[in-house]
Amino acid sequence: MKQQVTKRLPAKKSTSEIPLHQCSVIATLKLFATKWKPCIICYLSKRSMRYNELYRIIPNISRKMLSEHLKELENDALIVRCQCDRKNQRVEYSLSEKGVSLLPLLEHLQDWGLTNIKNVLSIQEMVAITLS
C-alpha cells in the first residue's frame, strides 16, 4: 500500500507588536544565562576575587571568555570592579547589590536541578570542591 502525502498548512506567524526583549523572563535570562556567568556569580557570592583566582577555579573557561563575561556583568551592574591600587595592578571583582539580588533565583534553579537532574552538585558543593 502506497503512503499518501498530505499537504501541510502553513503555520501562522505571530503578529504581536511586543518585542521579545520586553519580556521580563527573557530579559532576565539574557543577563546571566550563559555557560559561565552563573559560575562567576556563585564564586563572587562567597568573596571578592581577582581575575586569576576566577580563572584558576572555573574549570575549562578561557581567558577570553572570562574577560568578556566579567565586562558584560560589570556593564549590567551585576558585579563591581574595584581597583585596589593606583597603578591598576590589583583589581578585584565582587557582586553588586543587583548581583546579590540574583542569588535567590540561582538557588531556585539549583533546587530544581537537584530535584530533577541526576548526578549534579549544589552550588555549595561546587564552590567547596574548587576552593579547597
Side-chain angles (χ1 to χ4, degrees):
M1 183 179 203
K2 197 171 183 181
Q3 235 181 358
Q4 186 177 356
V5 178
T6 58
K7 283 190 174 181
R8 290 188 181 169
L9 296 174
K12 275 193 168 183
K13 275 278 223 188
S14 172
T15 57
S16 172
E17 297 295 321
I18 302 171
L20 282 179
H21 70 274
Q22 288 183 326
C23 171
S24 61
V25 174
I26 292 172
T28 302
L29 288 173
K30 282 185 176 183
L31 288 179
F32 76 93
T34 66
K35 183 176 182 178
W36 304 112
K37 286 181 183 178
C39 293
I40 295 168
I41 292 168
C42 289
Y43 285 114
L44 292 179
S45 72
K46 301 303 173 194
R47 62 180 168 90
S48 296
M49 301 182 95
R50 296 180 70 184
Y51 175 89
N52 280 329
E53 287 180 282
L54 286 166
Y55 177 71
R56 281 196 280 294
I57 61 172
I58 300 174
N60 303 318
I61 192 170
S62 69
R63 289 188 179 276
K64 179 183 176 197
M65 288 309 300
L66 179 57
S67 294
E68 284 178 16
H69 286 324
L70 288 171
K71 284 177 190 167
E72 289 171 10
L73 289 167
E74 184 182 5
N75 289 339
D76 292 331
L78 296 174
I79 64 170
V80 177
R81 183 178 187 267
C82 175
Q83 293 176 291
C84 300
D85 66 7
R86 293 182 184 174
K87 297 180 182 179
N88 290 342
Q89 292 181 352
R90 183 174 169 87
V91 174
E92 287 189 345
Y93 296 93
S94 59
L95 286 183
S96 66
E97 281 186 42
K98 188 176 175 182
V100 170
S101 72
L102 269 178
L103 295 177
L105 178 58
L106 290 175
E107 288 173 5
H108 284 298
L109 288 170
Q110 166 193 263
D111 294 344
W112 188 93
L114 290 170
T115 302
N116 296 287
I117 304 171
K118 293 179 182 178
N119 302 320
V120 294
L121 300 174
S122 70
I123 295 168
Q124 292 80 12
E125 291 168 326
M126 289 293 297
V127 170
I129 290 169
T130 54
L131 289 180
S132 59

